[in-house]
């Protein structure tokens, strides 16, 4: 059997899956990446370990399906995380500065004070926030060893470099669109943005379509040298593509360490209301645009709370939360500030409205509910801006497999969610794009018709007004100047 090897390089794990010509997953493998927190608010990874985890995941995947012949490689990757390396030796020259990292918050504030916010948003669709890479690239450049020939890029470009033995320096348009150095409407690196952030755009990779020839493998264990790399795309974009969310208004929510909510647009619409505009994917030189809201902390709060309550694992936490009625205390998971639609770097994680009658189950419920509340706020901002109807809404990622968590989301947004049984939506999306390059699937209609196993969760009636009042009270406390002053 011939198949596409799809890499899904995430924040906590690297995964690899083999996707057959029928769109079926015939092999899986995964490996942990590792993540460090050298200072409060700083989050980084070792680029060498990141690539090693990709190789380990591929090895496990190929061993699970020893008779499969790899026809091509596809990449989906964590976005807004960036690194730098030596163009001549390939040596990593800095950490992978994570999308979660807040180390450049003061740099972003300075750029706002200098009056760059509106121009940056107009060109990139992104706010001036340390989540996005513009200021991170500058941070890395300030720490480069003297005399080195430097290359810089998002994680897909680092993987392309490693997979091709250093022969290619390329990324795709979806990843470029998240770099904060890319002009969305012109579809090119922007010299003006480079000057704003202090980054030489000549160091950045060539930007290709999401379905394109990214080079040939060289020295990848288990995969013959010369195997083509035929797709690269950011993981959230890949998930949207993998679900077949091709109609304007269709969307998806990816639940992971953080959460990405995307809805497909009929055209470019400038961002407002705290959501961003991005390139969903680019095919034959034509971009498809999408709204996106990035939640910084989603499922990452679950193991933390399980540990606080002395529970064995996240499953035990969710079971405890499900035993409590909604409407208890509020919880805001602002461990690293708040992303969309609030964009508040200085917000603080907190519980609110706790009293002597508060139970362990209610505390657990407040943490699980915080996932649904954040999704609600992003969806509300998208609805207000687009003026169109929300279409099919797919959910993916590990937490999406839990019926209780997804029912809470559906209830709050008052819209059905489509629970997909295959959690590898990002890998599938990357594989479908590679299949387009290879001619395995002729067009988007054929991909949309590929078999998918899913379950629709319809909303149930709840007292949304009461629940949202509790959430909004907690949110106000989390972002209040008085709270921040007391913390200092």
């Amino acid at each position: 059997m011939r198949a596409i090897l799809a890499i899904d390089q995430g924040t906590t794990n690297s995964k690899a899956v083999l996707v057959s010509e029928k769109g079926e997953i015939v092999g899986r493998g995964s490996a942990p990446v590792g993540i460090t927190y050298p200072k409060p608010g700083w989050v980084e990874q070792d680029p060498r370990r990141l690539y090693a985890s990709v190789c380990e995941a591929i090895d496990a995947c190929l061993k699970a399906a020893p008779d499969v012949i790899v026809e091509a490689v596809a990449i989906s990757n964590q976005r807004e995380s960036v690194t730098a390396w030596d163009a001549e030796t390939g040596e990593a020259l800095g950490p992978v500065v994570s999308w979660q990292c807040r180390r450049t918050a003061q740099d972003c504030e300075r750029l706002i004070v200098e009056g760059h916010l509106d121009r940056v948003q107009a060109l990139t669709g992104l706010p001036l926030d340390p989540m996005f890479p513009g200021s991170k690239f500058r941070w890395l450049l300030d720490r480069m060893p003297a005399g080195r020939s430097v290359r810089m890029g998002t994680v897909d470009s680092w993987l392309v470099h490693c997979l091709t033995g250093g022969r290619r320096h390329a990324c795709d348009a979806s990843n470029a669109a998240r770099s904060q150095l890319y002009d969305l409407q012109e579809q090119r690196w922007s010299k003006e943005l480079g000057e704003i952030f202090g980054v030489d755009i000549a160091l950045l990779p060539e930007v290709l379509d999401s379905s394109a020839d990214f080079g040939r493998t060289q020295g990848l264990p288990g995969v013959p040298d010369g195997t083509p790399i035929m797709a690269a795309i950011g993981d959230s974009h890949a998930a949207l593509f993998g679900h077949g969310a091709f109609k304007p208004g269709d969307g998806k929510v990816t639940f992971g360490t953080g959460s990405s909510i995307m809805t497909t647009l009929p055209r470019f619409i400038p961002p407002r209301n705290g959501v961003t505009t991005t390139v969903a994917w680019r095919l034959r030189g034509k971009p498809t645009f999408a709204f996106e809201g990035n939640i910084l902390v989603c499922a990452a709060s679950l193991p933390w709370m399980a540990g606080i309550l002395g529970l064995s694992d996240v499953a035990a936490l969710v079971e405890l939360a499900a035993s409590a009625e909604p409407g208890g205390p509020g919880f805001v998971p602002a461990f690293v500030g708040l992303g969309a639609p609030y964009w508040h770097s200085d917000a603080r994680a907190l519980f609110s409205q706790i009293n002597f009658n508060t139970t362990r189950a209610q505390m657990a419920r407040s943490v699980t509910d915080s996932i649904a509340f954040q999704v609600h706020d992003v969806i509300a901002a998208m609805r207000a801006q687009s003026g169109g109807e929300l279409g099919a809404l797919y959910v993916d990622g590990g937490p999406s497999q839990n019926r209780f968590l997804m029912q809470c989301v559906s209830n709050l947004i008052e819209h059905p969610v489509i629970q997909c049984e295959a959690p590898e939506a990002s890998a599938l999306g990357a594989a479908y794009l590679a299949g387009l390059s290879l001619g395995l699937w002729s067009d988007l209609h054929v991909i949309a018709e590929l078999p998918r196993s899913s379950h629709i969760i319809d909303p149930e009636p709840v007292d949304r007004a009461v629940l949202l009042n509790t959430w909004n009270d907690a949110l106000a406390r989390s972002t209040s100047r008085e709270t921040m002053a007391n913390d200092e």
Side-chain angles (χ1 to χ4, degrees), residues 383-395:
R383 281 170 160 164
Q385 183 174 352
S386 70
E389 293 295 324
L390 182 63
L393 185 64
Y394 302 89
V395 293

Side-chain angles (χ1 to χ4, degrees), residues 114 133 150 167 235 254 324 407 447 468 487:
E114 291 174 356
V150 176
R167 288 171 171 78
D235 52 9
T254 296
Q407 187 68 64
I447 291 174
L468 288 170
D487 284 348

Side-chain angles (χ1 to χ4, degrees), residues 209-280:
D209 286 350
S210 306
S211 178
D213 187 345
F214 287 83
R216 300 293 184 271
T217 59
Q218 183 69 37
L220 179 61
V223 177
D225 287 351
T227 300
I229 304 167
M230 300 304 290
I233 185 171
D235 52 9
S236 289
H237 313 250
L240 190 70
F241 195 90
H243 290 306
F246 304 138
K247 298 177 182 178
D250 286 353
K252 64 91 199 179
V253 185
T254 296
F255 295 92
T257 303
S259 185
S260 166
I261 303 164
M262 299 183 80
T263 54
T264 308
L265 295 174
R267 64 190 184 283
F268 176 82
I269 299 177
R272 59 182 178 85
N273 295 335
V275 298
T276 64
T277 303
T278 193
V279 174

